Amino acid sequence: LKAFPDHHAYTTADVASVNAAAGEQAIITTEKDWVKLARLPGAAAWRILAVGMTMTRGAEALAASVLSAAGARASRASS
């Protein structure tokens, strides 16, 4: 297992290091990180994990808060 910090700027050396550590084991990354990794040599065989989220409580309150913040931001931008 090799972990990188959030928003990491992946390099060819990172991919080579992960490939070497994994040996014959499958390498899995998230869709979010794949966007940055896809262009790097050596990452083509990596598997991509789709991560989803379902809110079980508070979805309406969150939506109202986001819409309110977006409206306030739009008001400030047009001023």
Side-chain angles (χ1 to χ4, degrees):
L1 176 65
K2 191 161 182 104
F4 293 91
D6 202 17
H7 305 290
H8 183 69
Y10 294 99
T11 66
T12 302
D14 292 331
V15 172
S17 172
V18 171
N19 284 338
E24 296 297 317
Q25 297 179 0
I27 301 169
I28 302 170
T29 188
T30 62
E31 288 176 309
K32 176 180 171 253
D33 286 328
W34 180 249
V35 170
K36 295 180 265 182
L37 289 161
R39 64 179 173 75
L40 298 174
W46 292 21
R47 304 293 181 249
I48 304 162
L49 175 67
V51 178
M53 179 177 75
T54 302
M55 291 193 64
T56 58
R57 290 184 296 184
E60 295 82 12
L62 175 63
S65 178
V66 168
L67 291 173
S68 175
R73 177 178 256 174
S75 292
R76 286 193 305 267
S78 64
S79 298

